[in-house]
Amino acid sequence: MNQKRHTSPQRRREHHKPLATSAPRTSAASFDSAQIFVHSGREKSLLRRHPWVFSGAVERIQGAPASGDTVAVCDAAGGFLAWAGYSAQSQITAKVWSWHAEQKIDADFFRKKITQALSMRRDLSFARDSNGMRLIHGESDGLPGLIVDQYDNVIVMQLGSACAERWRDTCADILQELCNPACIYERSDSDSRALEGLPERNGVLRGTLPGETFVTEHGLKFAVDVAHGQKTGFYLDQRDNRALTGTLAQDKDVLNCFCYTGGFSLYALRGGAKSVLSIDASEEALQLARRNVELNHLDSSRAEWQCADVFAALRKMRDQNKKFDLIILDPPKFAPTAAFAEKAARGYKDINLLGLKLLRPGGLLFTYSCSGGISDDLFQKIIAGAALDAGINAHIVNKLHAAADHPVLLSFPEGAYLKGLALRVAG
Ligand code: SAH
């Protein structure tokens, strides 16, 4: 019955109906700026409001835009599709700012977008429990390439594309005006910048960086190294998942792999874990993790920290026949894009197979992937393969994702980069 409904002609027509842009479609000749014409047929994803124009979709460019310039994206017949930021070097030639021909891309446009992003987050319930929040999540907030995280009174900006780079000072001014932080710090040192031909940048943009920055979430306090920590200093996306782990840790032997500054470990300790072994390859991260345990007056005698490669450490523990009741695997991005998926899949399978083998009967595995190039489906298949090879039966008890301050725009599913599974192995 359902199937019939889904395949009815009317439904199919609706499915392909473009979202309303400004009608009637403006012709390209009416724009002063440079124009990008896409090949016939390649306008489809834009009509579905996917915000990227890949280099392969570009038929020709009229004018000589520089990286960061706003260009009009047009279909093959010259009809207006979107205003976008141009990037000469990236595989993604343009990223969309607006779908409306009458929209000017100027400071007022950014003020409106940033205001919208802030007001959406103000309504989130955890906003009352945490002073750490992702304020702007790139494409998902209509601002491609712009990531903004807030840690108490410090705002960290990360500009990952040439189009965002152009508006750096405008956005910093608006954030200063709307949020009035003590400091706006720029951490534009992600790998994606090299693909856009942009230099790395790391430093104060506005105000003064306080001696120390702390973020409090669900009553736990974490020191955040804004200048030297990974990404923008802390992994806000795992907030809810850390809290979930904490509620399940009572009396358990916990293993936290890729622990960074101790996020999951602190929740487990507070949740009454019997022991928590945390492993990370970064000594600086572990130093901060130990400090975080002290900051929260947690019992450090139940915590052990190991600076090691997780792949090797898991093998060693398997050979020693070590066992745990709850294991967290939260590795770094193995596959930034789909091109890396195969190699990444081997890495995920390896650690998950070993992790499953280290669990006692009835034990819990919280396993994550933050790779944009690995879909939910593929991730689940990899984990199923790992369980099969380990000879272990397991159930999915929860599907996990990033916290609500990392929203996913329906027309941009790539925004759902973080996926996780909570598994219970057979008792
Ligand atoms: N779960 C953490 C975030 C993990 S980020 C939190 O909630 O805050 C990924 C971590 O993996 C980083 O700290 C990085 O130093 C570490 N890492 C990367 N490769 C590693 C490896 N091969 N072995 C151990 N740690 C590694």
Side-chain angles (χ1 to χ4, degrees):
M1 195 180 76
N2 272 347
Q3 215 178 5
K4 200 171 160 211
R5 221 181 55 200
H6 282 302
T7 52
S8 78
Q10 192 200 349
R11 181 131 183 129
R12 259 188 276 128
R13 262 204 313 277
E14 273 172 13
H15 184 71
H16 290 296
K17 199 167 75 179
L19 288 164
T21 51
S22 39
R25 298 265 283 282
T26 317
S27 108
S30 30
F31 299 113
D32 295 337
S33 58
Q35 292 142 40
I36 291 183
F37 295 86
V38 296
H39 288 291
S40 172
R42 298 299 292 265
E43 73 286 354
K44 282 185 189 149
S45 65
L46 289 149
L47 291 173
R48 286 195 297 266
R49 296 205 168 177
H50 188 279
W52 291 348
V53 180
F54 286 97
S55 56
V58 176
E59 187 195 49
R60 71 192 163 93
I61 298 176
Q62 195 163 302
S67 270
D69 282 358
T70 300
V71 294
V73 182
C74 302
D75 62 21
F80 174 84
L81 293 167
W83 290 116
Y86 177 71
S87 174
Q89 294 204 24
S90 169
Q91 293 268 59
I92 304 172
T93 303
K95 294 183 178 173
V96 171
W97 293 128
S98 170
W99 306 101
H100 303 288
E102 67 280 8
Q103 177 68 58
K104 268 187 85 158
I105 307 304
D106 55 11
D108 282 347
F109 167 80
F110 286 94
R111 182 172 287 104
K112 197 171 97 196
K113 285 279 176 194
I114 292 173
T115 304
Q116 275 170 1
L118 296 179
S119 75
M120 182 188 129
R121 274 136 181 110
R122 222 167 279 129
D123 296 339
L124 298 174
S125 62
F126 73 80
R128 290 186 289 274
D129 304 326
S130 177
N131 63 0
M133 171 113 65
R134 172 147 300 187
L135 299 179
I136 297 174
H137 189 42
E139 279 79 349
S140 299
D141 282 301
L143 294 168
L146 179 62
I147 296 294
V148 179
D149 286 338
Q150 178 164 23
Y151 304 119
D152 190 18
N153 61 355
V154 174
I155 280 183
V156 186
M157 276 177 77
Q158 188 166 76
L159 301 150
S161 68
C163 60
E165 176 92 352
R166 170 66 59 93
W167 298 97
R168 182 171 70 124
D169 287 320
T170 306
C171 291
D173 287 342
I174 295 166
L175 286 162
Q176 186 65 46
E177 177 196 322
L178 297 177
C179 305
N180 194 27
C183 177
I184 299 183
Y185 196 91
E186 182 177 9
R187 281 298 303 271
S188 294
D189 50 3
S190 65
D191 300 344
S192 66
R193 301 233 342 151
L195 301 175
E196 300 253 349
L198 300 169
E200 289 191 359
R201 217 183 293 105
N202 181 340
V204 169
L205 269 181
R206 301 282 183 276
T208 313
L209 188 63
E212 288 200 294
T213 304
F214 300 99
V215 68
T216 304
E217 55 172 46
H218 300 300
L220 285 172
K221 190 172 175 183
F222 293 90
V224 180
D225 187 347
V226 163
H228 310 103
Q230 294 176 29
K231 286 201 182 172
T232 63
F234 197 62
Y235 291 86
L236 292 167
D237 52 359
Q238 289 283 27
R239 183 191 308 107
D240 296 351
N241 301 328
R242 287 191 280 260
L244 174 67
T245 302
T247 64
L248 296 163
Q250 181 84 45
D251 297 327
K252 294 200 165 99
D253 289 317
V254 174
L255 170 63
N256 182 11
C257 295
F258 309 97
C259 68
Y260 189 45
T261 55
F264 284 96
S265 310
L266 262 76
Y267 279 86
L269 286 169
R270 187 178 64 175
K274 205 194 305 169
S275 71
V276 182
L277 170 59
S278 309
I279 305 176
D280 201 281
S282 158
E283 186 52 61
E284 296 83 58
L286 290 172
Q287 269 175 27
L288 217 48
R290 287 192 197 94
R291 168 110 201 280
N292 286 334
V293 171
E294 279 171 26
L295 276 176
N296 292 278
H297 312 293
L298 293 164
D299 176 6
S300 61
S301 71
R302 289 184 283 132
E304 189 187 331
W305 307 93
Q306 216 181 85
C307 188
D309 170 43
V310 164
F311 290 82
L314 288 174
R315 284 202 160 71
K316 198 163 152 196
M317 289 190 284
R318 177 200 58 193
D319 296 344
Q320 295 167 339
N321 205 24
K322 283 226 182 177
K323 293 289 173 197
F324 298 89
D325 305 299
L326 192 161
I327 297 179
I328 299 124
L329 296 173
D330 184 24
K333 205 190 286 176
F334 290 162
T337 65
F340 297 86
E342 208 178 301
K343 185 161 174 264
R346 283 197 291 277
Y348 287 120
K349 185 163 176 188
D350 194 19
I351 52 172
N352 281 281
L353 196 154
L354 291 162
L356 285 164
K357 284 194 168 174
L358 291 177
L359 279 172
R360 296 193 178 107
L364 291 168
L365 176 68
F366 290 86
T367 181
Y368 298 94
S369 161
C370 60
S371 294
I374 302 275
S375 66
D376 282 24
D377 261 16
L378 177 58
F379 187 56
Q380 190 172 320
K381 280 192 185 115
I382 295 166
I383 307 305
L388 194 66
D389 286 9
I392 284 169
N393 265 328
H395 286 103
I396 296 172
V397 289
N398 261 313
K399 289 198 172 188
L400 307 164
H401 42 74
D405 47 341
H406 299 61
V408 181
L409 195 64
L410 282 170
S411 56
F412 184 69
E414 291 88 340
Y417 66 100
L418 180 67
K419 56 228 61 119
L421 295 172
L423 302 173
R424 185 182 293 283
V425 303

